């Protein structure tokens, strides 16, 4: 019989609750999607600060309307999760929301491993392969003008998985940290991520810029954007816009609907 996983809920709660009154940690064996669940709660007026972890998602969602599969191919054979999937829900009222998803990606790479990089805006990469993804959604809070409830969803590959149907080949955390299971990875990333979100709320993206550029997987590369633009990637600016030097001069890319990849990659961009 599989032994149940031991999650560090209490340690995370102790690190966060003093700064975030009402904060709770919930661990579920299965749900459709941790993002979908927190968005459902928010639309029903529940705006509590929460970390919601699911050992399995049946309908995980990615950016740009894509699905997010947890790599469950190996899951039935062991009690270990093939990926870590969780969402953080909290109300935030930053002066400017620009760059928040980049700050989230930066927090993940900094708390996971020095060899990880970020592909703009926020995909976590190891050696040209995607290791983790982030999906951020928000809901307006009618009774708190200026604030929104943000749902920050994170999926981290832990074990080897098939590349079928993926846009880019996968990387997984156990390549870098062989004994790391989902509860260990959660303990590494959750509290720093909530602190990064609060720091972003106070000061915006600019204090994160230099550290993002130090981890930028696209820095100095010729890139192709899904809107057809091409040029050389020159890092991000104070609001997290990707700077691309092309034939028209320096262009700033802000839209989260645009995908970017190095020109040397052969796979077509979706969309
Ligand atoms: C992407 O790279 O496209 C983003 C993937 C985000 C996946 C996570 S897993 C936890 C949370 N729940 C979801 O349904 N999606 C996010």
């Amino acid at each position: 019989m599989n032994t149940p996983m031991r999650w560090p809920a209490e340690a995370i709660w102790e690190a966060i609750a003093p700064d975030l009154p009402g904060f709770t940690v919930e661990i579920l064996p299965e749900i459709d999607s941790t993002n979908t669940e927190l968005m459902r709660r928010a639309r029903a007026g529940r705006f509590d600060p929460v970390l919601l972890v699911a050992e399995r998602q049946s309908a995980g969602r990615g950016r740009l309307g894509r699905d997010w599969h947890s790599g469950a191919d190996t899951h039935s054979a062991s009690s270990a999760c093939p990926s870590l999937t969780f969402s953080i829900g909290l109300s935030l009222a930053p002066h400017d929301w620009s760059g928040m998803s980049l700050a989230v990606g930066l927090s993940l790479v900094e708390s996971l491993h020095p060899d990880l990089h970020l592909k703009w805006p926020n995909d976590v990469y190891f050696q040209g392969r995607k290791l983790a993804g982030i999906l951020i959604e928000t809901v307006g809070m009618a009774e708190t003008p200026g604030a929104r409830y943000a749902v920050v969803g994170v999926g981290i590959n832990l074990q080897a998985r098939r590349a079928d149907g993926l846009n880019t080949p996968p990387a997984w955390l156990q390549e870098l940290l062989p004994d790391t299971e989902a509860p260990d990875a959660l303990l590494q990333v959750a509290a720093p991520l909530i602190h990064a979100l609060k720091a972003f709320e106070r000061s915006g993206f600019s204090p994160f810029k230099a550290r993002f550029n130090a981890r930028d997987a696209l820095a100095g590369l010729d890139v192709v954007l899904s809107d057809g633009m091409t040029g050389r990637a020159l890092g991000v600016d104070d609001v997290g816009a990707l700077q691309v030097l092309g034939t028209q001069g320096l262009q700033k890319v802000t839209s989260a609907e645009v995908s970017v990849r190095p020109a040397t990659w052969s796979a077509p961009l979706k969309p």
Side-chain angles (χ1 to χ4, degrees):
M1 202 178 83
N2 289 337
T3 33
M5 235 168 306
R6 289 178 61 83
W7 290 94
E10 209 169 306
I12 295 169
W13 183 84
E14 280 170 4
I16 294 302
D19 299 330
L20 207 55
F23 175 68
T24 55
V25 179
E26 281 180 56
I27 315 285
L28 300 178
E30 179 156 4
I31 197 162
D32 50 356
S33 146
T34 52
N35 262 51
T36 303
E37 171 62 13
L38 292 189
M39 291 296 283
R40 271 193 295 260
R41 293 183 192 180
R43 289 190 182 112
R46 292 171 60 191
F47 299 124
D48 327 283
V50 61
L51 165 63
L52 179 65
V53 183
E55 293 180 355
R56 265 182 297 278
Q57 293 189 130
S58 54
R61 295 187 289 113
R63 286 180 58 234
L64 308 171
R66 295 175 189 141
D67 295 334
W68 173 268
H69 296 288
S70 302
D73 346 347
T74 58
H75 195 64
S76 54
S78 87
S79 62
C81 293
S83 63
L84 169 64
T85 51
F86 69 89
S87 300
I88 291 164
L90 80 175
S91 59
L92 293 172
H95 175 65
D96 178 0
W97 288 85
S98 315
M100 185 171 99
S101 77
L102 285 71
V104 169
L106 179 64
S107 171
L108 290 181
V109 302
E110 288 187 339
S111 42
L112 283 171
H113 198 278
D115 293 342
L116 294 176
H117 288 87
L118 289 156
K119 183 171 86 62
W120 188 92
N122 59 18
D123 285 338
V124 174
Y125 267 66
F126 174 56
Q127 295 179 340
R129 293 170 293 129
K130 180 164 165 174
L131 186 135
I134 295 160
L135 174 65
I136 300 180
E137 301 171 286
T138 68
V139 179
M141 299 171 66
E143 282 165 25
T144 322
R148 297 184 71 78
Y149 189 74
V151 175
V152 177
V154 176
I156 302 174
N157 299 329
L158 299 173
Q159 301 176 359
R161 55 180 296 177
R162 285 201 295 267
D164 312 359
L166 295 180
N167 237 4
T168 48
W172 52 94
L173 194 61
Q174 290 175 2
E175 293 181 73
L176 289 156
L177 302 170
D179 298 323
T180 302
E181 298 294 351
D184 313 309
L186 183 71
L187 185 61
Q188 256 175 272
V189 300
L193 179 49
I194 294 169
H195 287 135
L197 286 164
K198 297 299 285 178
F200 175 84
E201 180 183 42
R202 283 191 302 273
S203 312
F205 179 71
S206 62
F208 295 92
K209 178 178 101 168
R211 281 153 50 208
F212 184 98
N213 284 332
R215 298 281 197 142
D216 181 3
L218 300 176
L221 297 183
D222 289 328
V223 293
V224 181
L225 276 69
S226 54
D227 64 4
M229 187 176 150
T230 57
R232 180 153 299 174
L234 298 180
V236 299
D237 68 7
D238 276 341
V239 291
L242 179 67
Q243 305 174 111
V244 178
L245 184 60
T247 49
Q248 310 288 313
L250 192 68
Q251 310 276 325
K252 301 211 176 196
V253 185
T254 52
S255 172
E257 300 304 311
V258 174
S259 304
V260 56
R261 66 170 167 84
T264 49
W265 291 4
S266 51
L269 274 177
K270 299 176 199 168

